[in-house]
């Protein structure tokens, strides 16, 4: 009986998680928050996607501080660290803190060194921060893997 209840809770938790992610995708903060709470209740103690849902719901509500705390929590989870870095990178860019954004972009690049969007973002942030020699090196790497065209590279 206990096993059945646990399976039922997990099933309800993942259903709430899916519905919450859909609410995030359409920008419905009220439903995202509702499903985030349900997910947390059903999947108590799990990190990763439930925490991502909490962070994104907080961001939709305009609670950037709470969202950042959740993204930082994700960074401590080895399986979900990249999700935290990406959330914090977006927050830093949105706030106009290009030095901090570059730090997060470089962390993302450590985890996924040949991901095109990460290389392009790092390149752009190095330029914005006036780090010309770093941008030149990143531009060369990005050009080599096709992340930048010759016209956009330095």
């Amino acid at each position: 009986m206990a096993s059945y209840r646990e399976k039922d809770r997990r099933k309800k938790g993942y259903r709430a998680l899916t519905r919450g992610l859909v609410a995030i995708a359409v920008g419905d903060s009220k439903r995202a928050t509702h499903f985030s709470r349900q997910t947390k209740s059903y999947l108590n103690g799990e990190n990763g996607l439930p925490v991502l849902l909490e962070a994104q719901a907080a961001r939709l509500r305009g609670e950037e501080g709470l969202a950042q705390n959740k993204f930082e929590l994700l960074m401590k989870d080895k399986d979900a660290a990249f999700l935290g870095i990406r959330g914090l990178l977006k927050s830093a860019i949105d706030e106009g803190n290009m030095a901090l954004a570059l730090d997060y972009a470089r962390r993302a690049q450590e985890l996924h060194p040949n991901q095109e969007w990460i290389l392009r973002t790092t390149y752009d942030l190095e330029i914005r921060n006036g780090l010309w020699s770093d941008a030149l090196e990143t531009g060369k790497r990005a050009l080599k893997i096709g992340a930048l065209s010759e016209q956009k590279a330095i």
Side-chain angles (χ1 to χ4, degrees):
M1 194 65 164
S3 174
Y4 171 77
R5 272 190 237 130
E6 178 60 27
K7 285 179 185 177
D8 190 52
R9 287 182 68 74
R10 290 186 65 74
K11 183 179 175 182
K12 288 177 181 177
Y14 283 107
R15 184 179 307 131
L17 176 63
T18 300
R19 290 175 177 170
L21 291 172
V22 170
I24 294 293
V26 298
D28 186 340
S29 65
K30 187 175 180 179
R31 288 179 56 82
T33 299
H34 170 76
F35 288 121
S36 173
R37 289 184 181 134
Q38 271 192 352
T39 300
K40 189 174 182 179
S41 171
Y42 290 127
L43 300 177
N44 189 22
E46 288 196 32
N47 288 325
L49 292 178
V51 177
L52 176 64
L53 178 57
E54 281 186 271
Q56 294 291 4
R59 179 177 275 160
L60 273 179
R61 291 189 310 269
E63 297 177 29
E64 197 59 40
L66 178 59
Q68 285 198 283
N69 288 341
K70 296 300 178 182
F71 286 129
E72 288 169 3
L73 181 61
L74 281 170
M75 285 179 58
K76 295 175 185 173
D77 180 334
K78 70 176 183 139
D79 295 325
F82 185 78
L83 297 171
I85 292 169
R86 184 156 187 178
L88 291 169
L89 170 61
K90 182 175 179 353
S91 291
I93 290 171
D94 290 348
E95 292 171 3
N97 188 339
M98 297 306 152
L100 183 58
L102 178 57
D103 180 54
Y104 290 129
R106 286 179 172 165
R107 288 189 198 184
Q109 196 173 338
E110 288 173 13
L111 293 174
H112 298 280
N114 293 319
Q115 187 57 253
E116 292 182 11
W117 76 265
I118 297 171
L119 280 170
R120 284 191 304 269
T121 301
T122 303
Y123 174 75
D124 180 57
L125 290 167
E126 287 169 343
I127 290 172
R128 288 179 183 209
N129 283 285
L131 301 172
W132 307 114
S133 61
D134 292 347
L136 181 62
E137 289 305 312
T138 302
K140 287 178 185 176
R141 285 190 58 226
L143 186 61
K144 184 177 179 181
I145 68 162
L148 286 177
S149 67
E150 294 237 6
Q151 297 153 338
K152 296 221 178 202
I154 296 177

